[in-house]
Amino acid sequence: MTQSKGISRRGLFGAAGAAVATGVAGYAAHSALATDKSQAADDNGPVGFHGPHQAGITTPVQDRLHFAAFDVTTTKREELVALLKEWTAAAALLTAGRDIGQYGAVNGPDEAPPEDTGEAVGLPPAHLTITVGFGPSLFDKRFGLAAKRPKALVDLPHFIGDDLEEARSYGDIAVQACSDDPQVAVHAIRNLARIGFGRTVVRYSQLGFGRTSSTSRAQATPRNLFGFKDGTNNLKLEDAAKLEQQLWVQPEDGPDWMVGGSYLVSRRIRMNIEIWDRTSLGEQEAVVGRGKGTGAPLGKADEFDAIDFTAKNADGEPKVPADSHVRLAHPDFNNGAELLRRGYNFVDGSDGLGRLDAGLFFLAYQRDPRKQFIPIQNRLAKNDKMNEYIHHVGSGIFACPPGVTPGSYWGEKLFS
Amino acid sequence: MTQSKGISRRGLFGAAGAAVATGVAGYAAHSALATDKSQAADDNGPVGFHGPHQAGITTPVQDRLHFAAFDVTTTKREELVALLKEWTAAAALLTAGRDIGQYGAVNGPDEAPPEDTGEAVGLPPAHLTITVGFGPSLFDKRFGLAAKRPKALVDLPHFIGDDLEEARSYGDIAVQACSDDPQVAVHAIRNLARIGFGRTVVRYSQLGFGRTSSTSRAQATPRNLFGFKDGTNNLKLEDAAKLEQQLWVQPEDGPDWMVGGSYLVSRRIRMNIEIWDRTSLGEQEAVVGRGKGTGAPLGKADEFDAIDFTAKNADGEPKVPADSHVRLAHPDFNNGAELLRRGYNFVDGSDGLGRLDAGLFFLAYQRDPRKQFIPIQNRLAKNDKMNEYIHHVGSGIFACPPGVTPGSYWGEKLFS
């Protein structure tokens, strides 16, 4: 059986640099395999992997997510470094639309497992991005990193109403794979998990099928599973000055290895959609603080109209209720703090009680969680009327280092 | 709060017929809301709902799946009939790209819950189909249907190696929603579940992100999570004569109410992908019986080359091993029996042991499971080398009635 090896590519570990160097040309060769129209839309190309910031943060939000949190099982620092080097090289290939090696035999007749698992053969990258972050637990005693733990990488406090599952929370390393094609995102996580075999295990993983935010003004605002537009006032990649102020770690923040990086907070938010769906429209709109159809702030006509928190109804009550989500989360009531959200809708089957296990996998990037997510969430946890319809069941916080240049690897400065 | 109701549509129960009658025009109005390029490709239109057969069987396989099995909780036959009427009317609207009612208030100021949950507002139907089947348990004593149970709707036997979870198996009614947009498929299942409130509960539900078969020669063959092309020799909609022979219940088969229908077997097949990924290419190809790259039968060059089961290697062993999947499942060794498969890849997070909960949600339609799925699966369960890498953890069998005409409902002849 030596026929039909498909495209023979040079292996990951021998020739990653050379393969990465081919960049877009490599993608072009790959996508030429895509003969299925439904899997190869016109604009399904690659997103650049290298740069001052990691891709997958301000990148216009792709339609699908596969997020995985890994625990590191090796206790050897040099094995962790080797893993990050291999993952970085693999991610450069994957995001360029390439397999991470041949999916035929490596040496001679078929005796080795294929290097790439093969299920994305023929698929364009569809804007695949792979973004990595380090959890607080990575900075314990195992790898000698305790002194390098950023002060901003705090353990999240317990928020009122938190109902966290250990098995769906925390993690040493987070990998966020986003693509417009879910098979491409799944392929990426699977192959990174496979590369990590013997050094990491998947702690939990989450698929998301529909984005719930936009990170560019070129994108329409999508709807979450409450049926409302979500992320209207999200930070957008066009807001250059705000991104420096709210998103990217600045030199004065430190530590050095995080400058140009960002902090990710992930929250698995279960929505009680069956209860929500039996709630009146008036109640739904009062909870959110926006109209369900247009997404306009209550009292306004258009989605992007400025919110008027002083406007009152005839009865003297504010048009945007004091306990509405949009008001409590608004920068005006949070010392100007904003977040770059790029969450996803999920449905993970049903829960055994006749209900869909549905909700929002919330992902938010920020410059300093102590000034952004934590105070905002404290306020929401205490007062948000929406809490009657949601509960937070998973949680993570991760320090996402800056982007890599060719030849460097994720977190290189952390280990040097 | 009476502003921003979005598009006000006439309600489901008052005006379903009128809404359905608008058909494609209704879709056009709806899709005009779609301003997001990534969610509105050129060819995202509706699939016709009415016809002699249900849509979603031979329909070219859409990219995404939301499958749900419901248990009926009412014991009143008339409530079950009412439910099926309401579901049919809703499905006609949903598949035409319409909401099932207004998502603003029904009567007056916002005091009622919206009729539609709203998360698909602005999204085109993306080839949404909704297909319904009745499980054996629906024919118990509750609804007086025992005498109408088709002989072909057998309880599936225990197959060697079956490791079925009750909570992911069986069900009174199955609903298969397929669309190229997962948010549209999820919206469909959710709104049907909501309509069924008080009469049905979701027993289990399954999302699939990547199709693993084609049902038209216009579609390329996709890859499953073993990285192999899957469904090369699937029954295709172009095989008109074979469809009559293998897929659709014929008048001579009976019962009358099933003529033009088909039997669906669903199997949740967990793949041990971490073990598979450590298996040599030669072993993988021997297990499948095809080359991993091209998908060609072993000993052949092209995917669609006829399989030569007599060809031998120099050592006298057959090129296509006797225990390979493609051989054991082939019609030549199964009295000519074929299946129309339209399964999906799934990853449902991880399993708590560091592994992805990944596999294939197998869906196969056929004229008579006693002559098709059951003998094929008995042979596979006994001899298939692939069994080292998979196990069946969920199972269902459903009688899918023929299609509906305007004014009729799913299963009308079963109840008349």
Side-chain angles (χ1 to χ4, degrees), chain B residues 88-366:
Chain B
T88 307
L93 289 167
L94 290 163
T95 55
R98 298 177 61 94
D99 307 312
I100 58 161
Q102 47 199 358
Y103 52 93
V106 182
N107 296 309
D110 309 343
E111 282 154 18
E115 289 176 311
D116 186 282
T117 58
E119 73 271 23
V121 170
L123 302 178
H127 303 123
L128 176 67
T129 56
I130 301 174
T131 313
V132 158
F134 304 131
S137 51
L138 197 72
F139 298 85
D140 62 14
K141 295 178 181 171
R142 289 173 291 170
F143 308 109
L145 298 173
K148 293 212 169 185
R149 177 172 170 174
K151 290 194 169 56
L153 186 67
V154 294
D155 294 304
L156 290 177
H158 173 85
F159 299 105
I160 295 172
D162 269 4
D163 186 18
L164 304 183
E165 302 169 40
E166 278 281 315
R168 283 179 165 164
S169 298
Y170 321 120
D172 289 335
I173 306 181
V175 182
Q176 170 200 280
C178 299
S179 170
D180 290 327
D181 186 333
Q183 184 123 337
V184 169
V186 163
H187 173 259
I189 292 292
R190 176 191 185 172
N191 280 273
L192 295 184
R194 185 169 175 242
I195 290 170
F197 178 72
R199 294 172 286 185
T200 57
V201 294
V202 175
R203 183 179 172 90
Y204 54 94
S205 100
Q206 178 71 53
L207 266 71
F209 62 80
R211 64 182 175 90
T212 53
S213 288
S214 306
T215 52
S216 166
R217 300 199 197 286
Q219 296 187 296
T221 309
R223 289 180 185 269
N224 61 28
L225 291 183
F226 284 155
F228 279 70
K229 292 188 180 187
D230 200 336
T232 296
N233 281 337
N234 200 25
L235 281 178
K236 302 275 169 43
L237 65 88
E238 292 86 357
D239 305 326
K242 267 197 181 173
L243 298 185
E244 297 303 315
Q245 183 197 335
Q246 301 275 351
L247 180 64
W248 303 122
V249 175
Q250 300 295 316
E252 63 265 33
D253 301 333
D256 279 357
W257 69 269
M258 270 297 289
V259 174
S262 191
Y263 294 93
L264 167 64
V265 171
S266 61
R267 305 284 285 184
R268 188 174 190 272
I269 304 175
R270 174 83 189 272
M271 289 174 160
N272 304 320
I273 60 171
E274 290 81 3
I275 298 172
W276 179 261
D277 287 347
R278 295 199 285 277
T279 304
S280 74
L281 177 67
E283 165 82 359
Q284 291 185 8
E285 293 186 336
V287 165
V288 174
R290 292 182 179 274
K292 190 162 192 176
T294 60
L298 294 178
K300 298 283 185 167
D302 294 314
E303 180 191 348
F304 293 100
D305 285 347
I307 309 177
D308 181 355
F309 291 113
T310 64
K312 292 196 165 49
N313 288 320
D315 60 5
E317 292 297 312
K319 289 193 174 186
V320 180
D323 56 1
S324 65
H325 187 78
V326 72
R327 183 184 183 112
L328 291 165
H330 195 273
D332 284 3
F333 301 95
N334 289 285
N335 293 318
E338 299 188 49
L339 300 165
L340 183 130
R341 286 164 285 156
R342 45 161 44 243
Y344 286 84
N345 297 322
F346 70 82
V347 173
D348 291 338
S350 52
D351 67 357
L353 300 170
R355 304 176 303 204
L356 295 177
D357 181 1
L360 169 67
F361 195 70
F362 173 93
L363 295 167
Y365 289 88
Q366 58 216 282

Side-chain angles (χ1 to χ4, degrees), chain A residues 35-65:
Chain A
T35 54
D36 181 3
K37 192 164 171 293
S38 72
Q39 294 177 327
D42 294 331
D43 181 23
N44 253 338
V47 172
F49 179 70
H50 296 109
H53 308 298
Q54 289 194 68
I57 299 175
T58 60
T59 306
V61 186
Q62 302 94 324
D63 286 347
R64 320 289 171 229
L65 168 78

